Amino acid sequence: MSMRNTSILAGILALLIVVPPFLDISWQNALVNVLIASLFALAFNLLIGQAGLLSFGHAAYFGVGAFAALHLMIAVEDGLPLPTPLLPFAGAAAGLLVGLIAGYFSTMRSGVYFALVTLAIAELFHSLAPRLQDLFGGESGISSMRMPWQGLTFGSLLEVYYLTLGWVVICGLGLWAFTRTPFGRLTLALRDNEQRVRFLGYNAHASKVVIFAVSAMVAGVAGSLQAISNETANYSLFATDVSAQVVLQTFVGGSTVFFGPVIGATAFTLFSFLVSDLTRSWVFYQGLIFVLVMLYMPTGIGGVAYDHIRNRKRLDWSLLAGPYLVALAGGLLITAGIVFLTETVAVLFGEDYARSREAAEGALPAFELFGISWNPAGILTWLIPLALLVVGGTILIRTRRRIDILWNRSDASNRTAAVPNPLGGGE
């Protein structure tokens, strides 16, 4: 890791240590969720980014880690002399054990078949958990309390935050170091050409089982941190949406960059924290963000940022600044148009408006949106968002071509091979 990257990470870590005491409890809780989601995404990316194995059921190991930690918390309540900060070891052990077993069978297949097997394993846990009262507490789940240790009560969310931060930093650095080992390099070869790895004499299946188990172990740590934070867990942790969420976060952040999933996890977690109280359509917006990123930034946010950092000396930033600002304006116009249309449709098809129509005897009464009254049959109600989309789209199309020209021109002036536009431009 270069000195520049080390300095950036040290600066971010310093902010994570210094800032939280000055935030209110809701923001502290949001940061705890950001840290847990980031660790879960890093664990998942060890599979897809390092070994090229796409798991659709990583919630299984997240949930197993959570329940293992809760069982250990109950034992500590009953008198087991174990420090609270060591509770995530239970999640790590449970994730590792289940990951070894599940990984052995799922890695017998590759591609879409591997993904389907991992999905089936998670669904198996999701189906059995409500019926296994002793292990998972049935439908109500399991609850426990954090016990004090060495003067720390762990009663405040801030103490839980620092406990979570410590584990996330240790596990994150451990994963990074793991990817730099010879075995970590071997998994890259497995991703790129498994057949060649076999020809070189390596046991590809055993290697994939190990990488799967390590990923499951760290996912178990993330699940245990979730259990410690909430002091409860139920079978919903094994649900498909938990697995889907980590997939979205990883690909939006960028699976090709080690810390890319952290960007995606942070963005999506904070997005849900800030927007979920404003609109019921926030899940739709998350899905739309994922679709747009996959279409126009397939390497994710982290991949685009890495391309800019890598080529920073080749590019003429004085010429690029203007088009980037114009592209940002175009993107904001499109965002405004999409939000306008989405919220309008949500209101018109909502229960409240249905009751208003009944009161108006089938007519189309006006509705309130953004503090303004709108007529559903009015031209402006539909013309404004359409105009925002058309103008914003036109700006983006024209600007993307200009950006692509500037990237290639900067490359030509440096007498190097063609530099691809990370925003997907080009004719």
Side-chain angles (χ1 to χ4, degrees):
M1 188 180 294
S2 65
M3 284 297 298
R4 183 188 70 251
N5 293 338
T6 303
S7 300
I8 293 174
L9 291 177
I12 294 174
L13 180 59
L15 290 175
L16 290 174
I17 293 173
V18 174
V19 172
F22 301 99
L23 302 176
D24 60 36
I25 192 170
S26 62
W27 270 101
Q28 291 176 2
N29 184 63
L31 289 180
V32 170
N33 292 332
V34 165
L35 291 173
I36 294 171
S38 298
L39 183 59
F40 189 24
L42 284 174
F44 173 79
N45 194 49
L46 188 66
L47 271 186
I48 182 61
Q50 190 77 7
L53 300 172
L54 176 58
S55 170
F56 283 154
H58 237 51
Y61 319 105
F62 184 83
V64 163
F67 281 103
L70 281 168
H71 280 292
L72 188 56
M73 288 172 69
I74 293 173
V76 173
E77 280 189 78
D78 293 338
L80 180 67
L82 181 75
T84 296
L86 300 183
L87 288 173
F89 277 116
L96 179 63
L97 177 61
V98 177
L100 282 171
I101 298 172
Y104 178 82
F105 293 103
S106 58
T107 54
M108 289 181 177
R109 295 291 180 264
S110 59
V112 67
Y113 302 105
F114 169 84
L116 291 176
V117 171
T118 59
L119 176 61
I121 292 172
E123 285 302 303
L124 181 65
F125 276 98
H126 188 244
S127 300
L128 290 178
R131 296 169 175 81
L132 299 177
Q133 185 75 29
D134 293 337
L135 282 177
F136 304 110
E139 294 187 359
S140 59
I142 297 177
S143 299
S144 183
M145 293 181 61
R146 299 182 293 266
M147 301 303 292
W149 175 74
Q150 294 293 318
L152 298 173
T153 65
F154 294 102
S156 70
L157 194 58
L158 190 61
E159 291 176 332
V160 176
Y161 168 80
Y162 284 118
L163 170 62
T164 305
L165 178 62
W167 272 95
V168 170
V169 170
I170 292 171
C171 292
L173 292 177
L175 284 175
W176 179 82
F178 179 79
T179 62
R180 317 300 288 185
T181 63
F183 182 78
R185 301 297 187 184
L186 176 64
T187 57
L188 288 176
L190 277 172
R191 181 193 65 186
D192 296 335
N193 195 327
E194 181 178 338
Q195 194 68 23
R196 179 171 293 181
V197 171
R198 294 179 185 275
F199 286 156
L200 291 174
Y202 292 101
N203 189 328
H205 179 237
S207 300
K208 289 192 288 186
V209 171
V210 171
I211 198 76
F212 191 103
V214 172
S215 176
M217 178 182 68
V218 180
V221 173
S224 65
L225 292 173
Q226 181 80 48
I228 294 171
S229 173
N230 296 340
E231 296 183 309
T232 186
N234 58 39
Y235 73 101
S236 64
L237 289 180
F238 299 114
T240 306
D241 64 294
V242 178
S243 296
Q245 192 71 14
V246 74
V247 174
L248 266 62
Q249 292 170 356
T250 300
F251 280 100
V252 168
S255 62
T256 59
V257 181
F258 181 81
F259 288 107
V262 175
I263 299 174
T266 302
F268 271 170
T269 305
L270 292 182
F271 181 87
S272 63
F273 170 69
L274 296 171
V275 180
S276 60
D277 291 335
L278 300 177
T279 174
R280 296 179 180 178
S281 304
W282 66 275
V283 176
F284 168 79
Y285 293 130
Q286 280 195 344
L288 186 60
I289 290 171
F290 174 75
V291 171
L292 293 176
V293 168
M294 290 299 95
L295 286 175
Y296 300 106
M297 292 190 297
T299 59
I301 299 172
V304 172
Y306 178 74
D307 282 339
H308 281 79
I309 294 173
R310 183 181 58 185
N311 297 300
R312 65 189 183 280
K313 296 181 179 179
R314 303 178 183 176
L315 301 173
D316 190 339
W317 292 101
S318 62
L319 295 177
L320 277 171
Y324 275 11
L325 289 175
V326 174
L328 176 62
L332 291 175
L333 289 175
I334 292 178
T335 301
I338 291 174
V339 171
F340 197 123
L341 276 177
T342 302
E343 297 304 316
T344 298
V345 172
V347 169
L348 294 179
F349 288 90
E351 294 181 1
D352 293 338
Y353 190 76
R355 287 191 289 267
S356 299
R357 287 194 63 184
E358 291 178 1
E361 299 181 351
L364 293 175
F367 63 94
E368 292 288 330
L369 187 64
F370 309 125
I372 302 174
S373 181
W374 302 91
N375 180 8
I379 297 178
L380 283 179
T381 304
W382 306 102
L383 183 61
I384 290 176
L386 181 62
L388 290 171
L389 291 172
V390 171
V391 173
T394 302
I395 290 174
L396 274 184
I397 291 173
R398 292 179 178 274
T399 309
R400 195 176 73 172
R401 293 172 180 170
R402 175 62 178 166
I403 291 173
D404 184 64
I405 292 172
L406 291 174
W407 269 72
N408 289 326
R409 181 184 300 172
S410 297
D411 174 63
S413 65
N414 284 278
R415 297 286 88 190
T416 60
V419 179
N421 176 11
L423 299 180
E427 296 290 334

